[in-house]
Amino acid sequence: MHRNKASWTRMTGLQRNKMSKYKKLLEIFGLRPRAPPPRVFVSLNVFNARRPPGYSQPSTRVIVRISIWTLLVLLLTFMIVYTVILVYVDNTFLQQSSIRGQGRHRKVKLTGRLRMPLHGFTGEFLNMSLDENHKILHRKAVWNSSRFYNDDVKLPQCMWQAVFRVLITSTPKSKSQREAIRDTWCNPKNFGEDNQKWHCIFLVGLSNDDQLNAELREEKEDHNDMLIGNYFDSYENLTLKTIHGFNWSVHYCPSSFIIKTDEDCYINTHLLYDFLLHNNEVTHNLYAGSINDDKRKLRVIRDKTQKWYVPYEDFSEKYYYPYASGMGYIVSKDVAQKIISESAFIKPIINEDAYIGIVIHHMGIEPTRSSRFVLSPYGLSVCNFMYLFVIHDVPPDMQMELFYKTVRARDECQHQNKITTWS
């Protein structure tokens, strides 16, 4: 740093006038010096390798020489430009979406560019061309299911040794349904099993009732089998609830298979465990259930007065792709991982089961049709429970009845041939 004390006296009138303007500018920022402003420079010097003749010390060579005030202006300019860029990127690429609830809206901040997790890369991905890989990695994500975790509630306990995990969509007021499931097919010990061969998790959102939310947290502490999401619990948000459940299972509690079902269903868990462990031959790209491929039922509803109305901007096709009924479907571990990765690019719609079908279609996976999923529990014989996996439309007080039929079937129907296929 170098000062020239005589420089001020050698200044012309024009130079002094300019300097006075600089002084006023500096006064605004509180930078005015007490004495007349000297010419202060910042220099970057380097030593010359050779000593000039007559010099006892190595000489130096000036690389950069800049006024300190110029340096401050450059730094200030850089900070302003950098801040403007950050604000622009945040407003442009980080979009927001309103998630509807009954008379209540909750803003959920969505993502910009996707950061692909390691498990999202498959052999097919690695074998793609560079252009195809570039397109995948630079697709714009439209939402992020990782944002639905509730910081106020601990995550449920994970049973790592479970062969499959059952994700059960439930509502805040459905405690009786949850208790009925806990007392019957959800607990392996009820079937005489010593270890946790399967594991149940209830997926629940938040209510407008603070007292009910407090009761949910208390129930969660008692049983440790509830994933309480940070979203309003409504039918419109069923898709968010389901994908959030997959997100938790993939990232915090992986298992070989995942079953998604509803609280009004009965799962023949012991039979399903035996089938997946000993008879199932499809361990990858598995998406099995009661597949809906009827064109009349697959038609997208555009009438705004209807419950399942979907606008064109959310899904533009005339028909949904074939999908498994939301009463219950089974996916393998790799499919669950792909659902989380792929769903980030697909805007959620109100039809949860149809939405999963859309994601599955984008993944290029062919659904596995099974007749072992039925819509009603009425008229079933005891021996039917040697065949059926999932039964829909089961009230809480009927769960125990079906459980007893399951136990009886193991003793009374041994004469029947064991079914070892999905249908």
Side-chain angles (χ1 to χ4, degrees), residues 398-416:
M398 199 176 187
Q399 292 282 358
M400 188 61 71
E401 177 186 341
L402 300 187
F403 171 72
Y404 284 143
K405 286 186 176 182
T406 302
V407 175
R408 287 175 53 196
R410 298 168 62 185
D411 297 328
E412 300 176 12
C413 306
Q414 294 298 329
H415 61 281
Q416 288 193 351

Side-chain angles (χ1 to χ4, degrees), residues 349-384:
I349 60 175
I350 190 173
N351 307 54
E352 168 262 327
D353 43 9
Y355 177 78
I356 296 296
I358 296 172
V359 177
I360 291 292
H361 174 80
H362 280 264
M363 292 158 49
I365 295 176
E366 187 69 23
T368 298
R369 183 183 306 275
S370 177
S371 57
R372 306 180 77 165
F373 300 72
V374 296
L375 294 173
S376 173
Y378 302 100
L380 299 177
S381 67
V382 171
C383 289
N384 287 144

Side-chain angles (χ1 to χ4, degrees), residues 164-168 181 184-187 191 198-200 258-273 276 326-330 372-374 385 388-394 399 402-403 406:
F164 64 87
R165 184 154 292 103
V166 187
L167 301 178
I168 309 165
I181 290 173
T184 54
W185 55 265
C186 191
N187 191 348
F191 295 89
W198 58 85
H199 181 208
C200 296
I258 296 178
I259 302 169
K260 182 272 167 184
T261 189
D262 296 331
E263 61 184 9
D264 62 343
C265 293
Y266 179 89
I267 309 296
N268 198 343
T269 45
H270 192 274
L271 179 66
L272 188 56
Y273 168 79
L276 292 175
M327 69 175 175
Y329 50 83
I330 303 172
R372 306 180 77 165
F373 300 72
V374 296
F385 288 82
L388 297 176
F389 287 151
V390 178
I391 303 171
H392 182 242
D393 197 21
V394 180
Q399 292 282 358
L402 300 187
F403 171 72
T406 302

Side-chain angles (χ1 to χ4, degrees), residues 237-251:
N237 287 342
L238 183 58
T239 299
L240 309 185
K241 180 183 295 185
T242 300
I243 298 299
H244 183 220
F246 276 111
N247 187 296
W248 173 82
S249 186
V250 166
H251 292 110

Side-chain angles (χ1 to χ4, degrees), residues 3 12 23 67 78 86 94 122 127 142 150 155 172 192 203 206 221 228 291 311 315 350 361 371 375 383 415 422-423:
R3 296 187 177 185
T12 64
K23 288 166 62 178
S67 167
F78 171 78
L86 285 180
L94 299 181
T122 63
N127 290 329
V142 295
N150 195 330
L155 296 179
L203 311 177
L206 295 175
E221 291 296 324
I228 303 178
I291 306 302
F315 184 71
I350 190 173
H361 174 80
S371 57
L375 294 173
C383 289
H415 61 281
W422 283 102
S423 293

